Amino acid sequence: GTVMAIGYNPGDSIVPGQVGAVLADLSSLHVDTTVDELDIAAIRTGQTVEVTLDALPDQVLMGEVAQIDLAPVAGSSTTEFPVVVTLGSAQEQVRIGMTAAISIQVAHKGDVLLVPNWALRLEPGSTDIFVRVLGPLGDPQQVPVTLGLRSDLFSEVVSGLTAGQTVGVLGEAVGSRSRSGRGVGTAPAAGSLVRRSRTDPALRELV
């Protein structure tokens, strides 16, 4: 191990119960974190974890879930469960005590149909999810879709769309008028194509 701290100086009297030295095994680092009760059911040991450090924001360290406590954190206002994530290969710049953010990969799929999350719509009073697509004549049509896995940016489309369709959102009318007296409005804003992911990168659902 590596000596991290020494509690005495030469000539000091030894005090029972006081730590004399702190040793650490820097070859095997881990991250102590907590997971909310709403997400803990999806966490399993061995799942892949991406770790980013505040001190090294441009580097992504890979790790895996090593331990999940059965009891929640005591005295917390929210119910969260302690989780230990081991780092596979830590960089030399990584230090004990650094602040880390983690993303746990709870599901993984390749070769799936993807749609950007900003294109998803939930109508008031309904649990169905819709996407506006451009029809054959360029007119917007609202299509119900069934979703699978979701990430921060994209969602898997199980049914309702095909690869290559253009999805978008309707523009709003501008509050000015032209000289002929007709309202000036924006055209439907088609923003993205429904696309099929490749096996790498695959759609991942993160906690």
Side-chain angles (χ1 to χ4, degrees), residues 137-154:
L137 302 178
D139 55 324
Q141 300 176 354
Q142 189 160 271
V143 177
V145 295
T146 302
L147 302 180
L149 296 181
R150 301 186 66 177
S151 68
D152 293 337
L153 300 178
F154 293 95

Side-chain angles (χ1 to χ4, degrees), residues 93-169:
Q93 302 96 322
V94 178
R95 297 289 185 270
I96 293 176
M98 286 184 170
T99 302
I102 67 169
S103 294
I104 303 175
Q105 180 180 313
V106 298
H108 182 279
K109 280 188 178 181
D111 193 27
V112 297
L113 200 64
L114 300 180
V115 67
N117 288 338
W118 57 259
L120 303 176
R121 295 177 56 83
L122 183 64
E123 294 297 328
S126 172
T127 58
D128 296 331
I129 299 177
F130 299 89
V131 172
R132 285 197 174 109
V133 301
L134 292 185
L137 302 178
D139 55 324
Q141 300 176 354
Q142 189 160 271
V143 177
V145 295
T146 302
L147 302 180
L149 296 181
R150 301 186 66 177
S151 68
D152 293 337
L153 300 178
F154 293 95
S155 293
E156 174 194 6
V157 179
V158 178
S159 63
L161 297 176
T162 58
Q165 285 183 292
T166 302
V167 299
V169 292

Side-chain angles (χ1 to χ4, degrees), residues 50-113:
E50 292 182 355
V51 181
T52 55
L53 304 175
D54 289 355
L56 304 170
D58 298 329
Q59 298 185 24
V60 178
L61 306 177
M62 302 306 298
E64 68 175 32
V65 178
Q67 178 181 322
I68 307 170
D69 282 14
L70 297 177
V73 178
S76 176
S77 59
T78 59
T79 303
E80 298 181 340
F81 292 82
V83 173
V84 177
V85 175
T86 57
L87 298 179
S89 57
Q91 302 292 332
E92 185 178 351
Q93 302 96 322
V94 178
R95 297 289 185 270
I96 293 176
M98 286 184 170
T99 302
I102 67 169
S103 294
I104 303 175
Q105 180 180 313
V106 298
H108 182 279
K109 280 188 178 181
D111 193 27
V112 297
L113 200 64

